[in-house]
Amino acid sequence: LLLFDLSLLVKKDKKMCRLMAYIGEPSLLADVVLWPERSVIKQSYDARERKNNPLLPFHLGHGNLNGDGFGIGWFNQEERRAKDPTPCVFTSITPAWNNENLSRLGTKIVSPLIFAHVRAAYPGMPVSEQNCHPFQWGRYLWMHNGVVGGFSQIRRTLIGLLSETAY
């Protein structure tokens, strides 16, 4: 069993989304994402780990809201993964704490591998489902937080390494 709040890896004064990953025995999504005392959903409106910064927009400056969307991703249980190895993703730009579909899905989905994300958009960043994690491509599911420093210097090299299919 692995249940990990990935946001704990970053200094507490950083503004950030909340990321969570679970791998273990097949579990009800609600048991992992919705119902724990410090669930990622609770952190969407009460992220105590972030410090206040009055220089930022209200929802970022007060350090406790991650209301600019969310996403969940999961894999089928093993017997179904043999036929379809691709994970499923559900994202929305509504706040996680106020999404009825998330509540409904949470009480029906059982999975051995679950990702969850709640988002606090940085100023100037669009609020869109394309920016809500997790991301899926083929049989892969992943999340990240923040930006790749110096990306503009390595972008061309990285693109050159991609196959035509990946590009």
Side-chain angles (χ1 to χ4, degrees):
L1 163 70
L2 173 66
L3 180 58
F4 195 68
D5 180 353
L6 301 170
S7 64
L8 298 176
L9 295 175
V10 177
K11 292 180 183 177
K12 294 188 184 291
D13 63 339
K14 300 289 184 187
K15 302 168 296 299
M16 63 181 302
C17 301
R18 298 308 207 200
L19 307 174
M20 187 279 312
Y22 167 85
I23 186 168
E25 291 298 315
S27 292
L28 189 65
L29 185 105
D31 286 336
V32 176
V33 175
L34 303 178
W35 296 336
E37 183 178 335
R38 289 300 300 154
S39 73
V40 71
I41 301 309
K42 171 91 172 176
Q43 291 181 51
S44 70
Y45 63 86
D46 184 23
R48 299 179 204 154
E49 298 82 6
R50 287 189 354 209
K51 291 184 178 179
N52 292 342
N53 183 344
L55 301 175
L56 292 172
F58 183 81
H59 77 291
L60 292 175
H62 285 80
N64 62 350
L65 288 181
N66 288 273
D68 295 322
F70 71 91
I72 55 170
W74 67 95
F75 284 86
N76 281 326
Q77 293 189 49
E78 193 169 337
E79 62 275 4
R80 300 219 32 218
R81 256 193 334 269
K83 293 180 182 176
D84 181 6
T86 60
C88 189
V89 173
F90 172 62
T91 59
S92 175
I93 59 170
T94 64
W97 68 79
N98 196 35
N99 189 287
E100 279 297 312
N101 287 327
L102 178 59
S103 297
R104 290 180 190 124
L105 290 170
T107 60
K108 305 297 181 203
I109 295 169
V110 175
S111 176
L113 198 154
I114 300 167
F115 284 15
H117 164 252
V118 291
R119 184 163 189 253
Y122 282 19
M125 295 297 292
V127 175
S128 67
E129 288 188 13
Q130 290 80 8
N131 290 323
C132 293
H133 307 223
F135 303 113
Q136 179 264 335
W137 186 76
R139 63 186 182 100
Y140 299 103
L141 186 66
W142 73 94
M143 299 182 292
H144 70 85
N145 202 30
V147 298
V148 176
F151 182 72
S152 61
Q153 287 81 31
I154 63 171
R155 182 178 184 271
R156 187 173 197 160
T157 302
L158 288 176
I159 289 173
L161 296 172
L162 295 174
S163 68
E164 283 300 312
T165 303
Y167 186 74

